[in-house]
């Protein structure tokens, strides 16, 4: 009898150990799968897909309760009709194309001029604009530019005029004072060599933010093909746009620089994702021509 108890005890212990080992192994495998950065990683700051308030749910009108009640009867046909109507509404209000924005900083200008009207492009600034225009002309074999926007400041107007001559003659041109240079928001960390009055941030900041909301949004549902727009403006404006578009802290805009005539390419995807193809590109200019 004692021998039988010993055998039973050993057998039971073995089964328990084997079962525990299999359970632990299965747990570890599942744990390792769940620990993948693509499935369970928690970012410090999550991307806001509805940053432009244009996702499908935001622009789809809610249905009336009466029609909703009629469709929810215990009828298979009504259920099918409801699903079909829902799919139609979702498809009708879903963005289908990407918007490409090419942000161009103006060329070098007479920064020490006493009057704003005299802050015209230097000879080098005009040369930089020529090279940027030639670069965009090369890119037009891949991207069909739909529109050219520029601010009302002289250096941006001159730069845009030079660039436009390199592009198809039928490209629409839009002049916008919202795109003028200014102080978007107090930078962090602050700098000692540039200290605008706080009323300037108050005035310029709201205008530049308005410009961001005007130009940065996903394609409307009726747009079926990608669009490509050129915006000729200023360094502070572009840097602020970049931070806002990539959902970086807006106060970080002064932490990087942009050369004269540089190209920054931002892509806004249909699902609300935003990416930067290039930031301040000047590789098409000889190093001796690059200034900031």
């Amino acid at each position: 009898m004692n021998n039988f108890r010993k055998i039973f005890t050993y057998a039971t212990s073995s089964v328990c150990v084997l079962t525990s080992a299999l359970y632990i192994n299965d747990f570890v495998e599942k744990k390792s799968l769940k620990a993948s950065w693509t499935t369970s990683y928690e970012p410090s700051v999550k991307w806001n897909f509805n940053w432009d308030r244009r996702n499908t749910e935001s622009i789809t009108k809610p249905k009336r309760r009466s029609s909703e009640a009629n469709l929810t009867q215990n009828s298979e046909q009504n259920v099918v009709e409801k699903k079909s109507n829902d799919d139609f509404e979702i498809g009708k209000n879903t963005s289908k194309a990407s918007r490409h924005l090419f942000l161009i900083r103006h060329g070098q200008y007479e920064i020490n001029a006493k009057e704003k009207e005299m802050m015209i492009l230097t000879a080098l600034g005009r040369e930089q604009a020529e090279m940027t225009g030639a670069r965009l002309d090369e890119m037009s074999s891949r991207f069909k530019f739909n529109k050219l926007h520029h601010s009302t400041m002289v250096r941006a107007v001159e730069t845009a005029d030079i660039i436009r001559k390199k592009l198809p003659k039928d490209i629409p041109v839009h002049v916008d004072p919202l795109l003028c240079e200014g102080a978007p928001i107090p930078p962090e960390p602050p700098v000692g060599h540039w200290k605008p009055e706080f009323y300037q941030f108050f005035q310029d900041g709201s205008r530049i933010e308005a410009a961001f909301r005007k130009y940065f949004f996903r394609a409307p549902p009726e747009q079926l093909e990608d669009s490509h727009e050129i915006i000729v403006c200023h360094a502070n404006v572009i840097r602020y746009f970049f931070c806002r578009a990539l959902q970086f802290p807006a106060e970080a805009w002064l932490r990087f620089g942009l050369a004269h005539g540089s190209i920054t390419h931002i892509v806004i995807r249909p699902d609300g994702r935003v990416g930067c193809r290039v930031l301040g590109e000047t590789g098409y200019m000889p190093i001796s021509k690059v200034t900031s």
Side-chain angles (χ1 to χ4, degrees):
M1 183 61 116
N2 290 333
N3 290 336
F4 176 78
R5 287 181 178 176
K6 289 181 180 180
I7 293 172
F8 179 79
T9 301
Y10 291 146
T12 304
S13 300
S14 299
V15 171
C16 290
V17 170
L18 179 60
T19 303
S20 299
L22 291 174
Y23 174 80
I24 292 171
N25 184 58
D26 183 61
F27 176 80
V28 170
E29 287 184 357
K30 290 181 178 178
K31 187 76 173 178
S32 64
L33 289 174
K34 290 183 178 179
S36 171
W37 69 271
T38 60
T39 56
S40 64
Y41 174 74
E42 287 293 329
S44 58
V45 179
K46 289 188 177 182
W47 182 264
N48 175 15
F49 283 90
N50 196 27
W51 57 273
D52 60 347
R53 304 301 187 269
R54 297 190 186 214
N55 66 2
T56 305
E57 292 76 12
S58 295
I59 59 177
T60 301
K61 293 182 179 179
K63 296 179 180 178
R64 296 180 180 177
R65 291 185 177 181
S66 58
S67 61
E68 188 74 20
N70 292 333
L71 289 174
T72 54
Q73 301 293 328
N74 294 325
S75 167
E76 184 177 345
Q77 181 179 357
N78 286 340
V79 172
V80 172
E81 288 179 359
K82 179 180 183 302
K83 186 177 186 306
S84 177
N85 290 336
D86 290 345
D87 291 342
F88 174 76
E89 287 296 320
I90 291 173
K92 185 178 71 173
N93 294 300
T94 299
S95 181
K96 305 168 184 65
S98 296
R99 298 187 65 243
H100 296 252
L101 300 178
F102 297 83
L103 310 175
I104 314 297
R105 188 189 180 193
H106 56 77
Q108 185 191 66
Y109 67 105
E110 299 290 351
I111 192 172
N112 294 320
K114 295 181 179 180
E115 298 180 3
K116 292 183 178 180
E117 293 74 15
M118 297 307 296
M119 291 183 174
I120 61 176
L121 295 180
T122 63
L124 176 56
R126 290 191 292 273
E127 193 174 353
Q128 290 166 341
E130 290 278 354
M131 288 184 281
T132 302
R135 177 65 168 179
L136 291 171
D137 180 44
E138 291 179 358
M139 295 169 67
S140 64
S141 61
R142 180 180 177 186
F143 304 114
K144 181 182 178 182
F145 295 113
N146 307 98
K147 203 165 188 178
L148 171 64
H149 311 269
H150 64 80
S151 85
T152 58
M153 302 185 84
V154 175
R155 54 189 182 273
V157 174
E158 291 182 328
T159 300
D161 285 343
I162 293 172
I163 289 175
R164 183 179 55 80
K165 294 176 183 178
K166 300 286 186 179
L167 300 175
K169 295 181 180 180
D170 59 346
I171 184 171
V173 178
H174 172 233
V175 184
D176 192 351
L178 290 179
L179 294 169
C180 289
E181 185 64 298
I185 191 172
E188 178 61 37
V191 293
H193 62 279
W194 185 73
K195 292 183 177 180
E197 298 293 337
F198 271 95
Y199 75 84
Q200 292 176 265
F201 289 114
F202 182 77
Q203 292 177 343
D204 295 346
S206 58
R207 171 180 57 79
I208 297 172
E209 173 64 19
F212 172 79
R213 298 189 184 194
K214 181 176 181 179
Y215 293 100
F216 285 77
F217 55 88
R218 76 192 72 189
E222 61 272 15
Q223 180 180 322
L224 302 180
E225 297 182 355
D226 289 2
S227 58
H228 308 85
E229 301 180 38
I230 299 170
I231 301 176
V232 180
C233 54
H234 309 268
N236 294 356
V237 176
I238 295 173
R239 291 184 286 186
Y240 179 80
F241 284 174
F242 173 84
C243 290
R244 287 283 283 110
L246 274 294
Q247 297 187 18
F248 297 154
E251 294 85 357
W253 66 272
L254 199 54
R255 298 177 192 174
F256 58 97
L258 293 173
H260 293 117
S262 62
I263 299 175
T264 297
H265 180 184
I266 302 289
V267 186
I268 304 172
R269 299 299 184 189
D271 63 355
R273 297 174 189 268
V274 181
C276 178
R277 292 281 185 87
V278 294
L279 173 64
E281 180 189 12
T282 55
Y284 47 88
M285 297 183 188
I287 192 64
S288 60
K289 305 292 184 180
V290 177
T291 61
S292 58

